[in-house]
Amino acid sequence: ELKTNYNFNYKDWSSAKNRGMWRKSLSKINNIKYLEIGCFEGRSAVFVGELSNTKKITCVDTFEGSDEHDEINFQKVHENCSNNLNQLKNINTTLIKSTSDNFFSQNKLNFNVIYIDGSHFCEDVKRDFVNSYNCLEKNGILICDDFLWSYYKSLKDNPIAAILDCYQNYKKNLKVEFLNYQIIFKKLT
């Protein structure tokens, strides 16, 4: 459970069922510097923000939705995310309304925990994975959501194809820590 009452108008698609595994993985990291690609109302970010070892949170989202989102008021989603992040005390929070490509092209920071839950298009997931890997510190945690999600008819168009392809390219430097609907990697070098 979250300690604070935050503003959420939409369903929790994944964070509640993954909190135990996240807590276990993230408890081993000192001074969490967290990046989230695709933050929606900020549910996962505030969970991380409530951990005692979190120091910095950066959230990036277009707040425009995608194919699977209809009848969602993204102005309200952005407002809720901003308000929710502002409730976190003693943590440096940054909310960036932009594409992940734009963010990464300007980013100069490194992170030790990155959560990818932005665009679900295969090619977008690949770019988010590679860009995240490149700014992930040694022993950092990379969490990819929607590993088993299959919205698009062809498997090759879904996140799993991108994640498996990227893992194949980086597997000598990544250890799979957890595998289910989400996949959690630890960067070894």
Side-chain angles (χ1 to χ4, degrees), residues 51-68:
L51 299 174
S52 61
N53 53 333
T54 300
K55 301 300 174 214
K56 179 172 180 51
I57 293 176
T58 303
C59 292
V60 179
D61 199 307
T62 62
F63 295 100
E64 295 174 0
S66 59
D67 290 345
E68 72 272 17

PDB file of all heavy atoms in Angstrom, residues 51-68:
ATOM      1  N   LEU A  51      10.033   4.893  -0.927  1.00  0.00           N
ATOM      2  CA  LEU A  51      11.108   4.070  -0.385  1.00  0.00           C
ATOM      3  C   LEU A  51      12.136   4.979   0.286  1.00  0.00           C
ATOM      4  O   LEU A  51      12.458   6.054  -0.227  1.00  0.00           O
ATOM      5  CB  LEU A  51      11.771   3.245  -1.496  1.00  0.00           C
ATOM      6  CG  LEU A  51      10.873   2.260  -2.238  1.00  0.00           C
ATOM      7  CD1 LEU A  51      11.628   1.624  -3.404  1.00  0.00           C
ATOM      8  CD2 LEU A  51      10.324   1.191  -1.303  1.00  0.00           C
ATOM      9  N   SER A  52      12.671   4.559   1.394  1.00  0.00           N
ATOM     10  CA  SER A  52      13.579   5.413   2.177  1.00  0.00           C
ATOM     11  C   SER A  52      14.909   5.678   1.483  1.00  0.00           C
ATOM     12  O   SER A  52      15.602   6.628   1.826  1.00  0.00           O
ATOM     13  CB  SER A  52      13.823   4.797   3.552  1.00  0.00           C
ATOM     14  OG  SER A  52      14.434   3.527   3.410  1.00  0.00           O
ATOM     15  N   ASN A  53      15.274   4.864   0.503  1.00  0.00           N
ATOM     16  CA  ASN A  53      16.568   5.020  -0.164  1.00  0.00           C
ATOM     17  C   ASN A  53      16.483   5.780  -1.495  1.00  0.00           C
ATOM     18  O   ASN A  53      17.450   5.832  -2.244  1.00  0.00           O
ATOM     19  CB  ASN A  53      17.232   3.650  -0.368  1.00  0.00           C
ATOM     20  CG  ASN A  53      16.345   2.642  -1.081  1.00  0.00           C
ATOM     21  OD1 ASN A  53      15.127   2.719  -1.021  1.00  0.00           O
ATOM     22  ND2 ASN A  53      16.965   1.679  -1.738  1.00  0.00           N
ATOM     23  N   THR A  54      15.349   6.404  -1.787  1.00  0.00           N
ATOM     24  CA  THR A  54      15.188   7.149  -3.039  1.00  0.00           C
ATOM     25  C   THR A  54      15.588   8.606  -2.844  1.00  0.00           C
ATOM     26  O   THR A  54      15.161   9.248  -1.896  1.00  0.00           O
ATOM     27  CB  THR A  54      13.734   7.065  -3.536  1.00  0.00           C
ATOM     28  OG1 THR A  54      13.406   5.693  -3.751  1.00  0.00           O
ATOM     29  CG2 THR A  54      13.550   7.825  -4.840  1.00  0.00           C
ATOM     30  N   LYS A  55      16.403   9.111  -3.766  1.00  0.00           N
ATOM     31  CA  LYS A  55      16.892  10.493  -3.694  1.00  0.00           C
ATOM     32  C   LYS A  55      16.419  11.349  -4.862  1.00  0.00           C
ATOM     33  O   LYS A  55      16.259  12.547  -4.717  1.00  0.00           O
ATOM     34  CB  LYS A  55      18.428  10.519  -3.645  1.00  0.00           C
ATOM     35  CG  LYS A  55      19.012   9.764  -2.471  1.00  0.00           C
ATOM     36  CD  LYS A  55      18.526  10.337  -1.154  1.00  0.00           C
ATOM     37  CE  LYS A  55      18.990   9.491   0.014  1.00  0.00           C
ATOM     38  NZ  LYS A  55      18.046   9.454   1.092  1.00  0.00           N
ATOM     39  N   LYS A  56      16.247  10.741  -6.044  1.00  0.00           N
ATOM     40  CA  LYS A  56      15.901  11.529  -7.228  1.00  0.00           C
ATOM     41  C   LYS A  56      14.970  10.733  -8.127  1.00  0.00           C
ATOM     42  O   LYS A  56      15.194   9.541  -8.353  1.00  0.00           O
ATOM     43  CB  LYS A  56      17.178  11.911  -7.991  1.00  0.00           C
ATOM     44  CG  LYS A  56      16.916  12.723  -9.248  1.00  0.00           C
ATOM     45  CD  LYS A  56      18.204  13.245  -9.846  1.00  0.00           C
ATOM     46  CE  LYS A  56      17.988  14.056 -11.097  1.00  0.00           C
ATOM     47  NZ  LYS A  56      17.008  15.105 -11.013  1.00  0.00           N
ATOM     48  N   ILE A  57      13.943  11.408  -8.635  1.00  0.00           N
ATOM     49  CA  ILE A  57      12.997  10.790  -9.563  1.00  0.00           C
ATOM     50  C   ILE A  57      12.843  11.699 -10.777  1.00  0.00           C
ATOM     51  O   ILE A  57      12.592  12.899 -10.643  1.00  0.00           O
ATOM     52  CB  ILE A  57      11.621  10.578  -8.902  1.00  0.00           C
ATOM     53  CG1 ILE A  57      11.719   9.520  -7.796  1.00  0.00           C
ATOM     54  CG2 ILE A  57      10.565  10.201  -9.936  1.00  0.00           C
ATOM     55  CD1 ILE A  57      10.433   9.308  -7.030  1.00  0.00           C
ATOM     56  N   THR A  58      12.997  11.113 -11.957  1.00  0.00           N
ATOM     57  CA  THR A  58      12.756  11.813 -13.214  1.00  0.00           C
ATOM     58  C   THR A  58      11.719  11.021 -13.987  1.00  0.00           C
ATOM     59  O   THR A  58      11.894   9.826 -14.227  1.00  0.00           O
ATOM     60  CB  THR A  58      14.054  11.929 -14.047  1.00  0.00           C
ATOM     61  OG1 THR A  58      15.057  12.590 -13.270  1.00  0.00           O
ATOM     62  CG2 THR A  58      13.805  12.688 -15.342  1.00  0.00           C
ATOM     63  N   CYS A  59      10.626  11.675 -14.360  1.00  0.00           N
ATOM     64  CA  CYS A  59       9.552  11.032 -15.124  1.00  0.00           C
ATOM     65  C   CYS A  59       9.399  11.723 -16.467  1.00  0.00           C
ATOM     66  O   CYS A  59       9.387  12.953 -16.541  1.00  0.00           O
ATOM     67  CB  CYS A  59       8.228  11.124 -14.363  1.00  0.00           C
ATOM     68  SG  CYS A  59       8.181  10.145 -12.867  1.00  0.00           S
ATOM     69  N   VAL A  60       9.286  10.907 -17.519  1.00  0.00           N
ATOM     70  CA  VAL A  60       9.147  11.419 -18.883  1.00  0.00           C
ATOM     71  C   VAL A  60       7.908  10.797 -19.511  1.00  0.00           C
ATOM     72  O   VAL A  60       7.745   9.569 -19.497  1.00  0.00           O
ATOM     73  CB  VAL A  60      10.388  11.062 -19.736  1.00  0.00           C
ATOM     74  CG1 VAL A  60      10.234  11.574 -21.167  1.00  0.00           C
ATOM     75  CG2 VAL A  60      11.665  11.586 -19.095  1.00  0.00           C
ATOM     76  N   ASP A  61       7.037  11.630 -20.048  1.00  0.00           N
ATOM     77  CA  ASP A  61       5.820  11.142 -20.706  1.00  0.00           C
ATOM     78  C   ASP A  61       5.324  12.225 -21.657  1.00  0.00           C
ATOM     79  O   ASP A  61       5.461  13.416 -21.360  1.00  0.00           O
ATOM     80  CB  ASP A  61       4.737  10.833 -19.652  1.00  0.00           C
ATOM     81  CG  ASP A  61       3.646   9.904 -20.170  1.00  0.00           C
ATOM     82  OD1 ASP A  61       3.056  10.206 -21.226  1.00  0.00           O
ATOM     83  OD2 ASP A  61       3.367   8.905 -19.501  1.00  0.00           O
ATOM     84  N   THR A  62       4.747  11.806 -22.773  1.00  0.00           N
ATOM     85  CA  THR A  62       4.156  12.773 -23.700  1.00  0.00           C
ATOM     86  C   THR A  62       2.790  13.260 -23.205  1.00  0.00           C
ATOM     87  O   THR A  62       2.331  14.319 -23.599  1.00  0.00           O
ATOM     88  CB  THR A  62       3.949  12.161 -25.100  1.00  0.00           C
ATOM     89  OG1 THR A  62       3.042  11.061 -24.989  1.00  0.00           O
ATOM     90  CG2 THR A  62       5.265  11.720 -25.714  1.00  0.00           C
ATOM     91  N   PHE A  63       2.150  12.452 -22.387  1.00  0.00           N
ATOM     92  CA  PHE A  63       0.780  12.702 -21.918  1.00  0.00           C
ATOM     93  C   PHE A  63      -0.172  12.885 -23.103  1.00  0.00           C
ATOM     94  O   PHE A  63      -1.054  13.717 -23.089  1.00  0.00           O
ATOM     95  CB  PHE A  63       0.726  13.896 -20.950  1.00  0.00           C
ATOM     96  CG  PHE A  63       1.481  13.619 -19.686  1.00  0.00           C
ATOM     97  CD1 PHE A  63       2.758  14.112 -19.503  1.00  0.00           C
ATOM     98  CD2 PHE A  63       0.923  12.832 -18.693  1.00  0.00           C
ATOM     99  CE1 PHE A  63       3.474  13.827 -18.346  1.00  0.00           C
ATOM    100  CE2 PHE A  63       1.631  12.539 -17.535  1.00  0.00           C
ATOM    101  CZ  PHE A  63       2.906  13.046 -17.359  1.00  0.00           C
ATOM    102  N   GLU A  64       0.052  12.045 -24.124  1.00  0.00           N
ATOM    103  CA  GLU A  64      -0.802  12.031 -25.310  1.00  0.00           C
ATOM    104  C   GLU A  64      -1.449  10.677 -25.543  1.00  0.00           C
ATOM    105  O   GLU A  64      -2.305  10.542 -26.393  1.00  0.00           O
ATOM    106  CB  GLU A  64       0.012  12.443 -26.543  1.00  0.00           C
ATOM    107  CG  GLU A  64       0.504  13.868 -26.483  1.00  0.00           C
ATOM    108  CD  GLU A  64       1.421  14.231 -27.636  1.00  0.00           C
ATOM    109  OE1 GLU A  64       1.679  13.364 -28.506  1.00  0.00           O
ATOM    110  OE2 GLU A  64       1.894  15.374 -27.666  1.00  0.00           O
ATOM    111  N   GLY A  65      -0.988   9.648 -24.820  1.00  0.00           N
ATOM    112  CA  GLY A  65      -1.566   8.316 -24.981  1.00  0.00           C
ATOM    113  C   GLY A  65      -1.045   7.606 -26.207  1.00  0.00           C
ATOM    114  O   GLY A  65      -0.113   8.048 -26.870  1.00  0.00           O
ATOM    115  N   SER A  66      -1.677   6.465 -26.500  1.00  0.00           N
ATOM    116  CA  SER A  66      -1.303   5.659 -27.655  1.00  0.00           C
ATOM    117  C   SER A  66      -2.507   4.855 -28.116  1.00  0.00           C
ATOM    118  O   SER A  66      -3.624   5.089 -27.662  1.00  0.00           O
ATOM    119  CB  SER A  66      -0.125   4.747 -27.298  1.00  0.00           C
ATOM    120  OG  SER A  66      -0.466   3.911 -26.220  1.00  0.00           O
ATOM    121  N   ASP A  67      -2.267   3.889 -28.985  1.00  0.00           N
ATOM    122  CA  ASP A  67      -3.365   3.120 -29.592  1.00  0.00           C
ATOM    123  C   ASP A  67      -4.360   2.553 -28.589  1.00  0.00           C
ATOM    124  O   ASP A  67      -5.554   2.553 -28.832  1.00  0.00           O
ATOM    125  CB  ASP A  67      -2.798   1.943 -30.402  1.00  0.00           C
ATOM    126  CG  ASP A  67      -2.085   2.384 -31.653  1.00  0.00           C
ATOM    127  OD1 ASP A  67      -2.259   3.551 -32.054  1.00  0.00           O
ATOM    128  OD2 ASP A  67      -1.358   1.564 -32.229  1.00  0.00           O
ATOM    129  N   GLU A  68      -3.849   2.027 -27.486  1.00  0.00           N
ATOM    130  CA  GLU A  68      -4.730   1.328 -26.553  1.00  0.00           C
ATOM    131  C   GLU A  68      -5.451   2.260 -25.587  1.00  0.00           C
ATOM    132  O   GLU A  68      -6.261   1.818 -24.790  1.00  0.00           O
ATOM    133  CB  GLU A  68      -3.942   0.256 -25.775  1.00  0.00           C
ATOM    134  CG  GLU A  68      -2.982   0.789 -24.740  1.00  0.00           C
ATOM    135  CD  GLU A  68      -1.597   1.100 -25.270  1.00  0.00           C
ATOM    136  OE1 GLU A  68      -1.404   1.222 -26.486  1.00  0.00           O
ATOM    137  OE2 GLU A  68      -0.692   1.227 -24.437  1.00  0.00           O
TER     138      GLU A  68
END
